[in-house]
Amino acid sequence: MKIIFMGTPDFSVRVLEALVESKHDVVAVVTQPDRPGMRGGKLIAPPVKVYAQARGLRVLQYEKVSREGIDDIRALNPDVIVTAAFGQ
């Protein structure tokens, strides 16, 4: 089963981790864009992005999932989209 996962904060990482460890194929992870940190304004990646990149998963980042994002997701032809605290 091809899965697209949508999530952003630490809570979402636990859900994504369970999917990655399952028999299913996580074809992409959709998360919020990197945000400026408190000190110095350096961009900080969301926890889900950090986890996904460490495992070689494709990461898509959108402020809002508009037509472009929907087209990107459809092109991956997922069987299921799992969402856990995506933020929209």
Side-chain angles (χ1 to χ4, degrees), residues 5-14 16-17 28-35 43-62 84-86:
F5 178 78
M6 299 177 76
T8 301
D10 286 326
F11 165 81
S12 299
V13 173
R14 289 181 265 157
L16 176 56
E17 184 176 33
V29 172
V30 180
T31 190
Q32 295 284 314
D34 298 0
R35 303 273 189 227
L43 290 179
I44 306 292
V48 162
K49 178 182 179 182
V50 173
Y51 177 88
Q53 287 182 324
R55 278 135 193 95
L57 299 173
R58 181 176 180 177
V59 176
L60 305 173
Q61 290 183 276
Y62 305 103
F86 177 61

Side-chain angles (χ1 to χ4, degrees), residues 3-7 11-12 15 19 30 80-88:
I3 296 174
I4 289 182
F5 178 78
M6 299 177 76
F11 165 81
S12 299
V15 178
L19 291 170
V30 180
V80 176
I81 298 173
V82 176
T83 305
F86 177 61
Q88 285 193 27

Side-chain angles (χ1 to χ4, degrees), residues 1-3 23-26 79-80:
M1 179 179 300
K2 291 179 9 180
I3 296 174
K23 62 182 177 180
H24 306 297
D25 181 20
V26 179
D79 297 306
V80 176

Side-chain angles (χ1 to χ4, degrees), residues 59-72:
V59 176
L60 305 173
Q61 290 183 276
Y62 305 103
E63 188 69 44
K64 296 211 178 259
V65 181
S66 62
R67 173 57 50 199
E68 174 194 5
I70 292 169
D71 290 345
D72 291 345

